[in-house]
């Protein structure tokens, strides 16, 4: 430990090094359940690329693992500490270096909070679409590490589609530039996309060049109530097959609707078994909403409520934003799954989760980014009850198995981390895992970058 600290202090200011066990313990976990974590030897909080390089050179020289972290809002254990590691917290690297309306790019450090960037570019008439639910806390570096999504994915896509270029500190401390800031560019292998979703296992992102869009018109929303999840999913399929491009298309099943009702007293009818929320940010959103409302009624919606203006739209969308806090009130603990299936299989996925909830005698609510088939089943359980905790974990695994059976993937936006390592191997197959491990070895031959994650 003394040798490690001597090496770190040679290139870092004193306030960038935390060694108090009570403090370093607070950096051990992200927000995932059932994910083991070790005790870090030290936490470092660099402010510059040179300081990150110094940390990685030290780690390489001493063969000490490094776990990069952002705000630790992740849900897969990807930011969990390894025993005796250096936790490399990038939250102090929080500068927006450039916003260019001409090139439509922003250049940022990894510790910039998503919402801070979104508001800063909005002041320039621009738009950074990726908006994870934790956007008020999560950082751009963390979003890149886990390939985050958000409510707007159905129209605007996920984080990977907005990362044009990166500066990355490699395991041995060298600095590498990937990608570009031009509108087009296909020179060489796409190493930028390789780093997005790599969960800090290939290198440390210290700067990102992000694509921006012109600010869209203010969106208008509607909410449609359905007597079953199957009917709501039929409406989703009709909307997408009809060529509509909503800026938001979200669904909550009956369990989630009732939890939101209990928490917020929104006076939704108890007969509502699914609530579909849609929005358009087109130049004539009222016409788009009318067409979508007709499709919802044809699929069996019992009520369709369009908003008259932006303020009413915000009120309608509050129910969706309350989904996770409401489910967290149901029991003492939750596991939030993240399974993405083809849109055509969305109804089968939600009905299958209901069957799993019944089988394991658990409350499991589903909210979903319905427009892209990304479901978030929330398993509620009593963490103090060993049998209930076991059933929760088994139900979680069964939900992932169901997603794969339906042609889906084990994660749409939360990443793999510790929680889903076994399931990643099942999804990729032995050859796929072998290739991925080979890539890891090229970038990190000593295996010191975020060990124990992904594979």
């Amino acid at each position: 430990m003394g040798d490690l600290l001597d090496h770190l202090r040679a290139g870092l200011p004193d306030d960038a090094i935390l060694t108090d066990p009570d403090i370093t313990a607070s950096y051990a976990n992200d927000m995932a359940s059932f994910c083991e974590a070790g005790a870090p030897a030290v936490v470092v909080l660099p402010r510059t690329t040179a300081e990150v390089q110094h940390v990685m050179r030290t780690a390489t020289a001493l063969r000490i693992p490094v776990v990069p972290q952002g705000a630790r809002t992740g849900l897969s254990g990807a930011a969990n500490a390894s025993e005796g590691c250096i936790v490399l917290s990038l939250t102090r690297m929080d500068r927006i270096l450039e916003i260019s309306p001409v090139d439509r790019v922003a250049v940022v450090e990894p510790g910039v909070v998503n919402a801070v960037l979104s508001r800063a570019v909005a002041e320039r008439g621009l738009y950074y679409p990726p908006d994870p639910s934790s956007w008020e806390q999560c950082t751009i570096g963390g979003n890149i590490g886990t390939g985050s999504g958000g409510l707007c994915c159905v129209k605007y896509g996920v984080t990977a589609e907005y990362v044009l270029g990166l500066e990355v500190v490699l395991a041995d401390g060298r600095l590498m530039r990937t990608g570009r800031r031009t509108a087009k560019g296909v020179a060489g292998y796409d190493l930028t996309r390789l780093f997005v979703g790599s969960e800090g296992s290939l290198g440390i992102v210290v700067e990102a060049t992000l694509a921006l869009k012109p600010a869209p018109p203010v969106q208008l929303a509607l909410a449609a109530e359905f007597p079953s999840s199957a009917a709501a999913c039929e409406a989703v399929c009709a909307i997408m097959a009809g060529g509509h491009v909503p800026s938001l298309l979200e669904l909550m099943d009956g369990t989630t609707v009732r939890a939101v009702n209990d928490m917020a007293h929104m006076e939704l009818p108890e007969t509502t078994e699914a609530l579909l929320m849609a929005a358009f940010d087109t130049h004539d959103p009222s016409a788009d909403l009318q067409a979508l409302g007709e499709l919802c009624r044809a699929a069996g919606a019992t009520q369709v409520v369009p908003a008259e203006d932006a303020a009413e739209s915000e009120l309608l969308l509050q129910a969706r934003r309350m989904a996770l806090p409401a489910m967290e009130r149901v029991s003492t603990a939750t596991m939030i799954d993240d399974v993405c299936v083809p849109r055509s299989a969305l109804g089968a996925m939600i009905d299958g989760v209901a069957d799993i909830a019944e089988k394991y005698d658990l409350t499991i609510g589903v909210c979903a980014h319905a427009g892209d088939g990304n479901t978030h089943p929330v398993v509620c359980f009593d963490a103090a009850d060993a049998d209930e905790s076991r059933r929760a974990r088994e139900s979680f695994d069964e939900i992932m198995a169901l997603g794969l059976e339906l042609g889906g993937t084990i994660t749409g936006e939360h990443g793999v981390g510790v929680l889903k390592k076994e399931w990643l191997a099942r999804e990729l197959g032995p050859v796929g895992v072998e290739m991925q491990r080979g890539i890891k070895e090229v970038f990190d031959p000593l295996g010191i970058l975020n060990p124990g994650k992904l594979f």
Side-chain angles (χ1 to χ4, degrees):
M1 180 67 169
D3 195 23
L4 170 60
L5 292 178
D6 288 343
H7 274 75
L8 291 174
R9 286 169 178 150
L12 295 171
D14 289 343
D15 68 349
I17 302 172
L18 306 178
T19 58
D20 184 330
D22 292 334
I23 296 175
T24 59
S26 68
Y27 287 82
N29 300 82
D30 63 16
M31 297 180 69
S33 301
F34 295 112
C35 292
E36 66 270 15
V42 61
V43 174
V44 296
L45 298 101
R47 293 186 184 276
T48 68
T49 295
E51 289 175 0
V52 175
Q53 290 180 279
H54 176 72
V55 172
M56 293 314 305
R57 292 186 187 114
T58 296
T60 293
L62 300 179
R63 305 299 196 266
I64 294 176
V66 176
V67 175
Q69 291 183 349
R72 290 178 290 112
T73 57
L75 294 164
S76 68
N80 282 14
S82 304
E83 187 66 30
C85 74
I86 300 170
V87 162
L88 180 60
S89 174
L90 298 159
T91 54
R92 290 183 181 176
M93 296 183 69
D94 60 356
R95 293 181 301 160
I96 297 174
L97 302 173
E98 179 187 359
I99 297 172
S100 171
V102 174
D103 293 331
R104 292 182 183 170
V105 299
V107 182
V108 305
E109 291 182 330
V112 172
V113 171
N114 185 294
V116 171
L117 174 63
S118 296
R119 292 176 182 129
V121 302
E123 292 175 0
R124 307 289 294 275
L126 297 167
Y127 179 40
Y128 180 66
D131 61 342
S133 296
S134 58
W135 77 308
E136 292 281 7
Q137 294 86 35
C138 65
T139 62
I140 295 299
N143 294 170
I144 292 170
T146 58
S148 297
L151 300 183
C152 69
C153 297
V154 61
K155 181 173 182 177
Y156 293 104
V158 296
T159 297
E161 295 166 67
Y162 293 87
V163 183
L164 298 177
L166 297 170
E167 284 193 1
V168 181
V169 175
L170 300 177
D172 60 7
R174 289 178 295 165
L175 183 64
M176 180 178 72
R177 175 78 193 181
T178 75
R180 65 200 191 281
R181 65 176 288 149
T182 55
K184 296 161 65 176
V186 293
Y189 295 132
D190 189 351
L191 297 182
T192 302
R193 184 61 74 97
L194 185 62
F195 277 95
V196 179
S198 67
E199 302 184 13
S201 64
L202 302 178
I204 312 297
V205 172
V206 291
E207 183 181 294
T209 300
L210 306 173
L212 304 175
K213 290 186 175 296
V218 175
Q219 67 179 5
L220 282 182
L222 68 70
E225 300 170 20
F226 289 86
S228 69
S229 292
C233 293
E234 181 182 336
V236 170
C237 291
I239 291 164
M240 302 310 294
H244 299 280
V245 188
S247 55
L248 176 147
L249 190 59
E250 298 286 309
L251 185 149
M252 298 192 302
D253 72 351
T255 299
T256 309
V257 169
R258 285 184 282 277
V260 170
N261 254 348
D262 290 343
M263 183 180 81
H265 308 292
M266 297 191 73
E267 299 182 357
L268 295 170
E270 288 297 314
T271 55
T272 300
E273 287 299 327
L275 187 67
L276 187 65
M277 285 148 287
F280 286 90
D281 58 4
T282 55
H283 289 289
D284 187 11
S286 297
D288 290 310
L289 288 179
Q290 181 178 352
L292 189 144
E294 291 172 0
L295 291 174
C296 288
R297 292 186 185 93
T302 55
Q303 187 171 2
V304 176
V305 181
E308 295 292 332
D309 53 30
E312 281 192 17
S313 294
E314 184 60 30
L315 287 173
L316 290 177
L317 297 178
Q318 278 184 6
R320 172 61 180 89
R321 295 192 181 98
M322 292 177 183
L324 294 183
M327 291 302 297
E328 288 172 349
R329 289 162 50 97
V330 172
S331 192
T332 63
T334 58
M335 289 185 73
I336 303 173
D337 215 327
D338 167 39
V339 178
C340 192
V341 297
R343 297 183 190 101
S344 57
L346 185 60
M349 183 69 195
I350 294 176
D351 286 345
V353 171
D355 292 340
I356 292 169
E358 183 176 358
K359 174 181 175 180
Y360 287 96
D361 191 24
L362 293 168
T363 298
I364 306 178
V366 181
C367 54
H369 307 309
D372 50 26
N374 195 175
T375 66
H376 293 307
V378 181
V379 182
C380 303
F381 64 100
D382 183 354
D385 185 323
D387 181 67
E388 195 162 307
S389 296
R390 174 191 59 79
R391 286 184 279 126
R393 183 59 205 245
E394 290 178 5
S395 72
F396 186 89
D397 286 345
E398 201 158 315
I399 289 167
M400 284 191 284
L402 173 64
L404 291 181
E405 290 169 10
L406 293 172
T409 175
I410 60 166
T411 176
E413 57 189 8
H414 292 173
V416 175
V418 176
L419 190 62
K420 298 187 175 183
K421 287 196 298 182
E422 175 191 348
W423 288 97
L424 179 64
R426 295 193 195 189
E427 179 172 333
L428 296 180
V431 176
V433 170
E434 180 184 348
M435 294 298 102
Q436 299 230 355
R437 284 178 172 160
I439 292 169
K440 164 76 167 170
E441 188 172 352
V442 168
F443 283 92
D444 182 23
L446 298 178
I448 62 173
L449 277 170
N450 213 8
K453 315 298 166 53
L454 292 170
F455 311 112

